[in-house]
Structures are given as structure tokens and as C-alpha cells.
Amino acid sequence: MTGPLGRPFALPKEPVSCVLVGEGYAAAPLFPLAERLRERGCTVTLVVAGPDEAHLLSALEARRSARAVTVVTEDGSVGRRGLVADVIAEVLTKAAAEVVYAAGPVPTLHAVAAAAEAHGAWSQTALERPLTCATGLCHGCAVPVVGEAGISRTARACVDGPVLRGDRVRWTDLRTDLSAEPEAAR
Amino acid sequence: MTDLAGLRLASPVLVASGCGGTGRELAAYGPLAELGGFVTRTLTLNARPGGPQPRILETPSGLVHAVGLQNPGLEGFLATELPWLAQQGARIIVSIAGSSLGEYAELARRLGGSPGVSAIEVNLSSPDAPTTGVFDVREPFHAASVVAAVHRDLPRGVPVLAKLRADVVRVVESARTVLDAGAAAVVVGNALPAAMPDGRQAGLSGPAILPVALRCVADLRAELPDAEVVGVGGITTAEDARSFLAAGATAVQIGTALLHDPTTAARVAAELRDGVPLHTGTSTSTD
Ligand SMILES: Cc1cc2nc3c(=O)[nH]c(=O)nc-3n(C[C@H](O)[C@H](O)[C@H](O)COP(=O)(O)O)c2cc1C
């Protein structure tokens, strides 16, 4: 056994307004994150999304850990009908968000990162990539990013991530790259 | 101690190309200086972003992979990775590939003069070479011209290791040709040519290919008894390594097993050095 591996969500030093977006099972780590943010005096707003009610992580638990919760399902079986992309801008504005945390499929992370940038908030996105070695040895989990001085480079989701700054990921390149991989691209 | 290609190595166990990251990630699991050597992932003159996803998939007892030679290019390597590796006291073997003989020669010139570089491993066997645009060396004659070009531009004392495909039918002929062209040793071998489920060119490595690589080493020993051979393919345990050494390999490299357990190379090196209880519970030692 070895761990912990990689880089986690970075916590803000100041008590700021935070929006946490989780889609599907990937939303799970956001609940403990919400706890830690609240301990630091941050205001926490949650967006929980999934294809339908059966694939939604506990909205009840979400209500316990956040001041405001928005539930979104694709089929509208509970909460608002639609995608995270449809509601995120409004949520960020309402919460006056300064930091956005997101976990879920790549298109959702892309939408959140773009909305955060438009809103002037920092975003931290947890990428879910198949990891072969998980220790940085194999270069299997490449993620195209913008590095220092704007230079394009390739990060490894396992050691440089899985949490990467949303404004650093080259989302369009990543999505093109994943198009051969139906499950992750979803 | 192991003598390979005129170099004295701390152990007969080396890290195979492309399976040790930049070295930093692996060093978290044991000092690199205690290994026989660290072979870098294959470097090209210019940086390469690597291929599309998926790059690596699991197969029964192995991995199929098409990383596409992702690397920071010669400049990036010299600026950031080499100085750090040298500081660790690691025996550094730089793996190279070029798209032309001129590129190979330039890589050899620049690397051969860089402090800390012990040897050059010429990657003549990339299983996805045609898609990565490296100089086509499927013909032994072309492989030999690459080795000759690299050898000519390296300072004395920096040997060329030629990494071949574990192609049982052609390995003896290939080895003979590259040794005649100036290679000090042959490394057998690379991942076997394979395909991804979507048909892309890829390599197959891991325990699944061990018997094939072992056969190549045995054939080389029989046909070219004076050749120095480094065995690589599927080694996971000290017992596997001993099979290769017994078949005539001077040293071994460990690749895929590190991706499963990053301590494998350190563990196998320690077991070969100290001798450890095997399954039988008796203690064995190797010279
Ligand atoms: C993810 C991965 C990347 C590799 N990259 C390289 C490379 O850049 N250059 C090279 O010569 N061999 C490369 N190899 C091949 C290995 O060095 C080794 O020759 C082969 O995998 C067989 O050994 P193994 O079964 O112990 O891995 C790579 C193998 C893997 C699994």
C-alpha cells in the first residue's frame, strides 16, 4: 500500500464563498471537502447533479453540509432538469463565488471551469482519468495543460493532479483526445 | 558489482526505459544509486506531446501501450532532468530515437558530452515506430547505420547499447549487425509489436512476454557467445531475473512491474545482492 498520491483540492486561506459541483458518484469527495471549508469559515454552496434520481448522491447529506443546494438531473426526476452547464453561471452569481470546486465527467468540468473564469472565480477541477501506475512512472494519464509563461505542456493526472486548476487545463484538446474513449468522455 | 559494456554497475538490475518516470517519482521508493542504472524514457531532439488516449490498457498478464514517445526533448532533459538524476548518483543511461541519422548524431554529440551520462541506449525497436515518425530501422542494415552514427559521435568511454525487438526469428541477425556497427551490448527487448483494441499500433509488455524475451537471450548466448546481453521483458521477481542471468544475460531491466509496484526494482536488486529466502524458506545467494 502506498499513499496518499497526487494533489488534493487546495483550501483557501481566507473564509470565502465556495461553490462545490459534483456529478454522479464523483460528487462523493465533495461532502468531506464541504466540512473542511465550513470549519474554515467558508460559505458553501453545493450543486449535485446526475442523470436521474437513482444516480444522485444523497441530496439530504448535501443539505446538511451546505447553505444552499441546487439539484440537477438530466431527466428532471428531481430538482431542476438539465445539465450543470445550464445552471452553473446563475449559481456562481447568486453565491458571489470566489472559489469553485468540481468533480465529475470532463464536459461538466469544462463547463464549470469556463463559467468560473467568466465569473472571475478560481476553479479547482478533479479529473477522473484511468490511472495505470498512479505514481507518475508510465505517462499513461496525460492531460494537456498550459504551464508557466503560457507554454503548452502535458501534465500527469496521477502526480500533478487529479485536482488541477480549471484555467490551466486545455479542455478542448483534452476532449478531442478523449473522444476515442467513450466512457470517460461521456 | 556487475560489469556491462565497460561500465561497473552497482547491481545487475536496471530500470527499463519509459517505466521510471523522470526518476524523481521512482526515487521516492528507494535510492536510484543502488540500482544498476536508470534508463530514461526515449528522448527525441524536439519535445513530443505523445499520442492520444487511451495510451495504456491492461491485458491478461500484461499491458498494451502506445505512449507515442512523450518526452521533453533534448533541451528540456538537459536543463531539468539530467542534473537531478546526476545528483542522485544514479548511473544514467539515456535512451534516444531520431527521425534521421543526422538527428541521432546530434543527440549523441550533445548527450555524450554531458556530465553524468554513462551510456546511450539506442531505441531501435519502438513497437509504434511507424506512427511516431522515427527513422525506420526494421531492416538490420538501417539499425546498423543508426548505431554507427551514434557510436561515431560519442566520446570514448560512453558505450552504445542497442535495444532490439524480442523477435525470436531475427534477433541473432539483428544483434550481430548492430554489434559489428559498434554497439557494446544489446538490450533484448522492447515491448512486442501489438495493437490497441481500436487497431492503433502499440506494444505488449509485462509477464506475458517474459518467455519470449528469455528465449531471445538464450538464442543470443548460443549463437553469439561473446555478446553482452541485457535481458528485459516481464521481470517481476528475483527469480525471473535469475532466469535471465542464468540464460546468459549480464544484466536485466525492469519495466512494467514498476507500474504495478514501484518498489520492484529496488526489491529485486536487494534480493539478488543479499540472497533471500525463496518460497522454500531456504536462503540462497548469488555472486
Ligand atoms: C508505459 C511504457 C512506456 C515505455 N516506454 C519506452 C520508451 O520510451 N523507450 C523504450 O525503449 N522502451 C519503452 N518501453 C518498453 C520497456 O522499456 C520494456 O522494454 C518493455 O516494456 C518490456 O519489459 P517489461 O515487460 O519489464 O516492461 C515502455 C514500456 C511501457 C510499459
Side-chain angles (χ1 to χ4, degrees), chain B residues 33 44 134 173:
Chain B
T44 50
V134 302
E173 179 201 1

PDB file of all heavy atoms in Angstrom, chain B residues 33 44 134 173:
ATOM      1  N   ALA B  33      20.727   5.233  -6.826  1.00  0.00           N
ATOM      2  CA  ALA B  33      22.149   4.872  -6.905  1.00  0.00           C
ATOM      3  C   ALA B  33      22.390   3.400  -6.574  1.00  0.00           C
ATOM      4  O   ALA B  33      23.411   2.836  -6.935  1.00  0.00           O
ATOM      5  CB  ALA B  33      22.968   5.760  -5.969  1.00  0.00           C
ATOM      6  N   THR B  44      13.777  12.420 -27.814  1.00  0.00           N
ATOM      7  CA  THR B  44      13.958  12.837 -29.197  1.00  0.00           C
ATOM      8  C   THR B  44      14.540  14.250 -29.174  1.00  0.00           C
ATOM      9  O   THR B  44      14.529  14.913 -28.133  1.00  0.00           O
ATOM     10  CB  THR B  44      12.615  12.814 -29.951  1.00  0.00           C
ATOM     11  OG1 THR B  44      11.629  13.519 -29.183  1.00  0.00           O
ATOM     12  CG2 THR B  44      12.138  11.381 -30.148  1.00  0.00           C
ATOM     13  N   VAL B 134       9.749   8.037 -36.185  1.00  0.00           N
ATOM     14  CA  VAL B 134      11.187   7.864 -36.004  1.00  0.00           C
ATOM     15  C   VAL B 134      11.744   7.088 -37.200  1.00  0.00           C
ATOM     16  O   VAL B 134      11.025   6.375 -37.905  1.00  0.00           O
ATOM     17  CB  VAL B 134      11.558   7.164 -34.667  1.00  0.00           C
ATOM     18  CG1 VAL B 134      11.020   7.943 -33.494  1.00  0.00           C
ATOM     19  CG2 VAL B 134      11.110   5.726 -34.645  1.00  0.00           C
ATOM     20  N   GLU B 173      20.451 -12.252 -35.935  1.00  0.00           N
ATOM     21  CA  GLU B 173      20.930 -11.479 -37.086  1.00  0.00           C
ATOM     22  C   GLU B 173      21.005  -9.984 -36.724  1.00  0.00           C
ATOM     23  O   GLU B 173      21.998  -9.302 -37.003  1.00  0.00           O
ATOM     24  CB  GLU B 173      19.966 -11.699 -38.264  1.00  0.00           C
ATOM     25  CG  GLU B 173      20.328 -10.925 -39.513  1.00  0.00           C
ATOM     26  CD  GLU B 173      19.120 -10.757 -40.457  1.00  0.00           C
ATOM     27  OE1 GLU B 173      18.008 -11.227 -40.111  1.00  0.00           O
ATOM     28  OE2 GLU B 173      19.297 -10.132 -41.515  1.00  0.00           O
TER      29      GLU B 173
END
